[in-house]
Amino acid sequence: MSASGNKPSAPPAPDPDEPRVAYPYRPSPPDAPIAYTHTHTHSGSFGSGSPPQGYGYYQSPPTNAYSSFPPGTHPDVIRSFQMVDRNQNGYIEEKELQEALAWNYQRFSPSTLRLLIFLFRNPRESSSIIGPKEFADIWSCLGQWRAIFERFDRDRSGKIDAMELRDALYSLGYAVPPSVLQVLISRYDDGSRRPVELSFDSFIEGGMIVKGLTEKFKEKDTRYTGSATLTYETFMSMILPFLVAD
């Protein structure tokens, strides 16, 4: 198969009309900073951009629990973390992550939240908690992916169809084969026989599955050929965490 095929480690030649992107098997440029904003194209889909209600007045913790936020982290990102870290220990769990992200994004489903925690958590920490650095990484990633989602949600419906999903993933650097895309789309088929469309929540969940599994496979495909030899144990260890997270 030529390099224009659908092997994820041998992506198609770039379209001259599209901006250059970093494909999953090529070194990625440093992440561009995401400009924080309270305004959203889909005000009904992505949250109002106002702080969550019911948290009360926040007072700074007496300890240095939040010193591990990356330099330059926007104050609103820090504030959203602090507001839900009620015991002020510098870590948040799934429910608290949902509340923190709802400020600027939306209320993500439990399966999406578990995937985010699984992919971004510090492996040296508990599998169910997120610290300041990991939270900032999640926030930044969601900002990038939301910009892509809005770019391909051309009718501004708050949802994207299968072809828009394909193009969105491609622009993020994931040249997903049609057969794999069909399996991914079928996950969100409600049985109504209508064309499947993905909300931002579903886009993040599906995209994180693609991202996570691609990165795991990439570790084994050291020569960037689009193929790798795996033991049964390695294969199961790669796949099962994504099933458990669901």
Side-chain angles (χ1 to χ4, degrees):
M1 181 180 294
S2 68
S4 61
N6 285 306
K7 294 189 297 185
S9 55
D15 185 334
D17 296 327
E18 289 289 331
R20 296 188 64 182
V21 297
Y23 290 94
Y25 286 81
R26 295 180 182 176
S28 299
D31 290 337
I34 299 299
Y36 179 84
T37 175
H38 279 301
T39 60
H40 303 291
T41 302
H42 306 295
S43 59
S45 302
F46 300 134
S48 62
S50 58
Q53 301 300 311
Y55 294 133
Y57 177 71
Y58 177 80
Q59 293 182 334
S60 299
T63 65
N64 198 26
Y66 306 119
S67 61
S68 55
F69 272 104
T73 300
H74 195 284
D76 285 338
V77 178
I78 299 175
R79 188 177 303 115
S80 67
F81 184 95
Q82 292 173 337
M83 278 182 161
V84 299
D85 180 20
R86 294 180 178 85
N87 62 5
Q88 299 181 7
N89 69 348
Y91 294 96
I92 59 175
E93 300 180 350
E94 180 183 315
K95 183 178 180 181
E96 296 166 327
L97 176 63
Q98 183 183 63
E99 294 176 1
L101 293 178
W103 179 0
N104 198 48
Y105 294 101
Q106 65 176 57
R107 293 185 66 82
F108 290 104
S109 66
S111 59
T112 301
L113 292 167
R114 285 192 289 269
L115 273 173
L116 289 170
I117 292 173
F118 169 66
L119 290 174
F120 285 90
R121 71 179 180 85
N122 186 334
R124 293 172 295 182
E125 303 285 357
S126 167
S127 61
S128 62
I129 61 174
I130 288 292
K133 180 183 182 302
E134 294 74 41
F135 178 75
D137 290 342
I138 289 174
W139 191 286
S140 176
C141 178
L142 290 176
Q144 295 175 41
W145 285 52
R146 183 175 63 189
I148 294 295
F149 182 89
E150 293 184 348
R151 173 184 169 191
F152 289 97
D153 176 22
R154 298 182 178 93
D155 61 358
R156 298 295 182 263
S157 66
K159 295 184 177 181
I160 58 175
D161 61 24
M163 292 300 98
E164 291 169 334
L165 173 63
R166 179 202 63 188
D167 294 343
L169 291 174
Y170 185 92
S171 73
L172 284 162
Y174 301 99
V176 180
S179 58
V180 176
L181 184 68
Q182 184 57 46
V183 172
L184 185 63
I185 282 289
S186 68
R187 178 181 178 85
Y188 305 101
D189 190 342
D190 61 5
S192 65
R193 297 187 178 182
R194 294 192 298 267
V196 178
E197 293 183 314
L198 276 66
S199 65
F200 181 61
D201 182 17
S202 298
F203 172 67
I204 291 297
E205 182 191 37
M208 287 296 131
I209 292 174
V210 171
K211 170 183 168 64
L213 288 175
T214 299
E215 292 302 318
K216 290 294 183 182
F217 186 85
K218 174 183 174 182
E219 294 173 4
K220 307 302 177 182
D221 181 19
T222 57
R223 302 188 65 176
Y224 306 158
T225 63
S227 63
T229 301
L230 307 175
T231 65
Y232 177 71
E233 179 181 1
T234 299
F235 171 76
M236 295 296 284
S237 297
M238 289 170 58
I239 300 297
L240 282 178
F242 290 88
L243 302 180
V244 172
D246 187 25

